[in-house]
Amino acid sequence: MMKKNLDLVKDINSFSANSNNEQFAQKTAFLYAHGRKYLANPNDVDVCEIWCGWDKLFRNAKEEIKNPSVEDILLYNILNAKSPTPSTILDVWTTTLRFFTKEISKMLSVEFFPPTNRLKIKTKEDINPWTGPLKAELGYKSKKKKSVEILFIDSNHLEVIGECYTSNDFRLCDVIYVKITDKSYKNNLVLFAVDTCKPGNLIASYRVITQTPNIYMAIVPADKALEVTKSIYNKYIEQFGKVMGRFPFSIGNIFFKRKMPMFVVLDSGKKMLNNFDQLNRKKKIAFHVERREEKSANFFTLSTTLLKKKSNAYKRTIQWNLPSKLGNCEVDYYHSYFIVDSKKENLSDRSTFFRTIAGDVVHFKEIEEGDTLCVRPNFYDFEFLDSNIRRHKIRIDGTLRRKSNIANFRSKPFLLDEVDQKLITVWKYLIQGKQLRGITDAKLRNLQSLWLTKYQEWSVNLDEPDSCNMWIKFVEASVKKEFPNIIEQDKIENVLLETIKNGVFFDMLELYLGILKMRVKDVHKKGD
């Protein structure tokens, strides 16, 4: 069981020269002093020698930290902190590296992009090999044609990029010719009769660019990017959820066209990484705990609200489903702590309360509704490279915000939790899932245009409550008018209105409608 703060102070103070409890100090020396000798021979412990060593540690730490407000707790923090030995640092290094090289790579190759055989075609005529991909056309017995890209393998074989070989695909039997349409192909013979179709090289539709203990970069299909992001974050919660708020983890998506130069893409990724570094160096952000509930034997849920500005328009409400127990289902008293605002009354009465130089900490199990948590949050950002110069706009300003491409919302970067709880939820379940009955592409775009037009006409400033109140009331009224059934669904209404007010809704539309080119499906049509 975890010892209370006062017990730790009492133990350590017993070593002081002013203490008359030397016998007690000898019995507890093995808890705070290094070396097995203190455990094997407690009667031989030299309490004065230990205290002199601690005093030296205290003076060195005092000179390094230079913060008078924490001097009274500095010694207790030093003795109860895990020493940053080379082996400890190496363990952290290898653990995070293993997370990327093993967990994430396995997830991508198994769950999302299992390797498949590329379609390989054997031609009847000999081919003069050509380096690099070429535009071509496949001809079928049905006289249908299909534009593809091909790669030459040898004088009689070529592979079709983007086409998978499946033995039961009847279309493969109907391919009768391959015609090269690429103008860069200079050979006279451009039409080749197909002999047979067979499985080609194993290909996975993703590529890892780099993986280090703190950076992972990969290229994945755009339509899978959000789902991959969600799964990576879920894996992070599973592995590192116990240090939520103290071990920040951010993900960015760079979308680009097929012909975009790779150096532009990589430079964009580097700029986004720099943004995340700046965000992680800033002061901790306050989250207010609205609700706490036990979700399962090993997990509990915290519903928290981030209010960064004077106006409620910037309100961000998210949930954390966090692990708090060891593998044997006992409470983990080693890692599961939040830094809590010390202004809360009676905070020190909680059994796991402990003052640290980073702030007052409390174990997960004693977090209560109404607490204010001081955390380093996880961030998410995305950008679409419609041109080479777009990458220069991937830069946060002095307020550590970035302007959205829609109106002048400063909604980027998002909280990483909002990928699943806001972006995917609003599109997949409210719009595609028809929780908003009567929604269509036309109605969605008309509402977007109406809200943004009024936003600009009324010169709305979300930083000022008086400036944005009228626009917020207008949005609420139009939502209830267009979707009257939403009044009966408070949870849906709250999510929708919150994302509209803080601009996330418009970024979601840009992502799904503008970048991914998706459309609203009318799943309630008769005959579907």
Side-chain angles (χ1 to χ4, degrees), residues 178-426:
V178 177
K179 181 180 179 181
I180 300 176
T181 59
D182 202 307
K183 294 181 180 179
S184 61
Y185 187 70
K186 302 300 183 182
N187 295 337
N188 294 327
L189 185 61
V190 296
L191 186 66
F192 305 96
V194 174
D195 184 5
T196 57
C197 293
K198 56 180 71 174
N201 292 317
L202 275 174
I203 299 295
S205 55
Y206 77 98
R207 289 291 181 273
V208 175
I209 299 174
T210 185
Q211 45 190 3
T212 69
N214 63 332
I215 297 175
Y216 184 88
M217 295 181 69
I219 299 178
V220 302
D223 61 339
K224 297 289 185 181
L226 276 184
E227 290 296 332
V228 170
T229 299
K230 172 186 172 181
S231 295
I232 291 176
Y233 187 46
N234 289 341
K235 187 67 70 174
Y236 163 83
I237 294 293
E238 178 185 321
Q239 298 265 347
F240 305 108
K242 294 177 182 177
V243 289
M244 172 67 75
R246 294 178 285 132
F247 186 56
F249 181 72
S250 300
I251 301 178
N253 294 153
I254 302 293
F255 298 92
F256 55 94
K257 298 178 181 179
R258 293 183 64 187
K259 299 297 183 180
M260 181 63 63
M262 189 50 63
F263 81 89
V264 175
V265 177
L266 295 178
D267 187 46
S268 302
K270 183 178 178 181
K271 292 181 184 299
M272 195 165 282
L273 288 173
N274 289 337
N275 289 348
F276 293 146
D277 286 340
Q278 291 184 54
L279 289 165
N280 292 335
R281 286 196 296 267
K282 67 178 290 189
K283 292 183 178 179
K284 300 178 184 68
I285 296 177
F287 282 79
H288 184 72
V289 179
E290 304 285 351
R291 190 178 75 255
R292 174 204 164 92
E293 59 183 328
E294 297 294 332
K295 187 175 182 182
S296 65
N298 296 323
F299 284 80
F300 76 99
T301 299
L302 284 182
S303 296
T304 60
T305 299
L306 167 66
L307 246 176
K308 291 184 61 179
K309 303 284 184 178
K310 300 176 184 178
S311 168
N312 283 332
Y314 276 102
K315 180 179 179 181
R316 304 284 180 100
T317 303
I318 59 174
Q319 285 189 347
W320 289 323
N321 298 318
L322 303 175
S324 61
K325 296 188 178 180
L326 298 169
N328 60 2
C329 294
E330 292 184 359
V331 177
D332 184 353
Y333 286 105
Y334 300 96
H335 308 97
S336 311
Y337 289 86
F338 271 122
I339 298 175
V340 182
D341 187 357
S342 57
K343 295 178 183 178
K344 181 71 179 289
E345 293 183 4
N346 302 322
L347 185 64
S348 59
D349 292 342
R350 303 182 195 181
S351 63
T352 58
F353 169 83
F354 193 78
R355 290 181 63 199
T356 74
I357 58 176
D360 298 341
V361 300
V362 172
H363 191 269
F364 281 8
K365 74 171 188 175
E366 292 194 315
I367 296 297
E368 300 174 355
E369 296 178 4
D371 285 346
T372 299
L373 310 179
C374 303
V375 305
R376 297 189 186 279
N378 307 314
F379 291 100
Y380 169 76
D381 202 357
F382 75 87
E383 190 60 71
F384 174 60
L385 301 180
D386 54 352
S387 65
N388 289 5
I389 62 173
R390 175 68 66 179
R391 71 185 191 275
H392 298 300
K393 296 186 178 181
I394 307 177
R395 184 176 285 116
I396 56 177
D397 57 21
T399 63
L400 301 179
R401 302 301 301 162
R402 195 163 75 84
K403 187 176 179 182
S404 169
N405 294 328
I406 307 297
N408 64 345
F409 288 101
R410 307 188 70 76
S411 52
K412 295 181 178 180
F414 315 94
L415 297 174
L416 186 50
D417 307 84
E418 291 181 304
V419 172
D420 182 29
Q421 298 174 26
K422 301 298 166 64
L423 297 177
I424 294 178
T425 294
V426 171

Side-chain angles (χ1 to χ4, degrees), residues 128-134 151-152:
N128 290 327
W130 186 270
T131 302
L134 290 171
L151 280 172
F152 287 121

